[in-house]
Amino acid sequence: MIFMTIGKPDSRLMIVSLLLLFLVCPAKGHAQSSISQAIIESRLNLSQVLDNLVEKNAERAEALQKYQGRRFYSLDYTGFPTSLHAEMVVDMIYDAPATKQFKIVSQSGPQWIIDKILKRLLEAELESMSEENRARVALNPSNYDFSGLEQQESADHCSYVVAVEPKIPSKLLYRGRIWVDSKDFAVCRIEAEPSKNPSFWIKKTDIQHTYLKIGDFWLPSENKSVSVIRGGGHAVLTIKYQNYEILSARGLKANETGSSSITLALPSHSN
C-alpha cells in the first residue's frame, strides 16, 4: 500500500500540482449502479431527472461494498523549457464506505513528476474520501445549480444533458455539462472546467470524464484533462481505468439479490 509524504514544490511545480489535484475530483471512484426499470418513453423534466439521480446515487453508494481495479496515469507537458512525460500504474482497492488502498505497480519518467504530481494525486484522492469532503463535492442541489435540460438521441441511453454550476466557487467543484443515463439515472459523461482557477498561471482547463457500466454498476472509464499555461505550453493528464472486479455488493431496492462477487475486465486501452 502506498502512503506518500511530499516535500514543498517550487513555484512551477505548485502550479501544475494545484491543477492536477482538482482534475481527479470528477473521477474520485464512487460507483454508480444500474437499477432495472422500464425504458423511459416520455421526457422527464429537470426536477424529475435530478430527483432520480440523487435517489439512485444514494442507493448505489450503499450497495457497492468492495471493488478493485487498475489505473494507468499519464502526464505530458509541452512548453518551456522542455517537453516532459511520466507514467504510473496503480492498483486500487475500495472498501465501503470510504476507504481506498493504493499500490504502485510501476512508474517511469522524471522522478520529481512521479513524486510531486502523480503520487500527490493519490494523496489528494485519499483526502477527498473524508465524510466532510465527500459532502462538499457531492453532485446534488446543495452544492450545484442545475439548468438547461436537453434530451439527445443516444443508442446507449446516455441522453439527458444538464448544465451544472457550483453554488460556491471551489477548486474541488466544476462547471459544465453532465450526461445522465435515461435508464439507470447515472452520470455517464462529464465535460467541464474548474469552477475556480487553481492558479493565475493556468489560463484554461478542459476536462472530459467518462463512465462505463460494469455489471450493475457504473465506474470511471477515462479522465482526460488539458490545461493551457500562461506564457505558452500545455499539460495533458490522462487516467485510464481497467481490470475492474466487483468483490462485494448488496442487493438494490429494485433488484434485490444477496452479496455477490463479479469479475469483469475492461477492454485494453492503448497507452
Side-chain angles (χ1 to χ4, degrees):
M1 311 309 167
I2 186 74
F3 296 94
M4 295 72 57
T5 57
I6 305 300
K8 183 178 180 181
D10 59 32
S11 59
R12 183 176 294 273
L13 296 180
M14 179 64 75
I15 292 170
V16 180
S17 298
L18 287 173
L19 164 68
L20 297 180
L21 292 183
F22 168 81
L23 298 182
V24 297
C25 292
K28 55 185 177 296
H30 286 247
Q32 307 178 91
S33 63
S34 168
I35 304 295
S36 301
Q37 51 183 276
I39 297 176
I40 299 175
E41 298 179 352
S42 60
R43 179 173 178 173
L44 302 181
N45 60 38
L46 179 59
S47 179
Q48 291 171 318
V49 171
L50 295 179
D51 287 347
N52 278 288
L53 177 63
V54 172
E55 178 184 352
K56 301 310 178 186
N57 275 344
E59 293 180 13
R60 313 184 239 277
E62 183 178 356
L64 185 61
Q65 294 298 293
K66 185 172 186 176
Y67 74 95
Q68 65 184 21
R70 173 164 289 189
R71 302 177 182 182
F72 296 82
Y73 291 77
S74 175
L75 176 62
D76 289 280
Y77 172 77
T78 303
F80 179 82
T82 186
S83 296
L84 300 168
H85 174 79
E87 296 181 355
M88 187 168 71
V89 178
V90 179
D91 284 340
M92 185 279 301
I93 299 177
Y94 167 83
D95 283 286
T99 299
K100 287 183 179 179
Q101 298 176 351
F102 296 108
K103 179 182 179 181
I104 296 177
V105 177
S106 65
Q107 59 188 41
S108 64
Q111 194 61 43
W112 65 268
I113 294 181
I114 300 294
D115 292 338
K116 297 184 180 297
I117 298 178
L118 297 184
K119 287 183 179 179
R120 180 65 184 122
L121 294 178
L122 304 183
E123 287 188 329
E125 187 168 348
L126 292 175
E127 294 168 2
S128 74
M129 297 296 292
S130 71
E131 183 175 356
E132 181 180 4
N133 285 333
R134 283 186 290 130
R136 289 177 177 175
V137 302
L139 185 64
N140 59 38
S142 296
N143 297 320
Y144 286 92
D145 291 321
F146 300 87
S147 62
L149 176 66
E150 301 176 13
Q151 188 168 17
Q152 301 176 347
E153 294 295 330
S154 176
D156 61 1
H157 305 289
C158 191
S159 54
Y160 287 118
V161 187
V162 181
V164 297
E165 180 75 25
K167 293 182 179 295
I168 300 175
S170 168
K171 297 174 184 177
L172 299 179
L173 301 178
Y174 57 88
R175 68 166 58 88
R177 297 191 298 171
I178 61 172
W179 278 254
V180 179
D181 185 277
S182 61
K183 293 180 64 179
D184 299 342
F185 291 99
V187 174
C188 45
R189 178 179 166 193
I190 299 172
E191 292 185 0
E193 63 181 3
S195 66
K196 184 177 181 180
N197 196 335
S199 170
F200 166 80
W201 298 103
I202 298 172
K203 294 177 63 176
K204 181 176 176 60
T205 299
D206 292 318
I207 303 166
Q208 294 183 345
H209 188 79
T210 57
Y211 290 86
L212 182 67
K213 189 174 181 180
I214 302 293
D216 285 335
F217 293 88
W218 290 76
L219 297 169
S221 175
E222 181 172 304
N223 182 301
K224 184 175 182 179
S225 306
V226 180
S227 297
V228 178
I229 310 301
R230 295 185 190 275
H234 66 275
V236 180
L237 171 69
T238 304
I239 308 173
K240 296 180 180 180
Y241 304 78
Q242 298 182 16
N243 301 335
Y244 280 123
E245 293 182 56
I246 308 298
L247 302 175
S248 179
R250 294 176 180 170
L252 299 165
K253 291 183 179 179
N255 184 26
E256 291 295 338
T257 60
S259 296
S260 62
S261 176
I262 303 173
T263 301
L264 290 169
L266 300 185
S268 296
H269 297 289
S270 58
N271 293 318

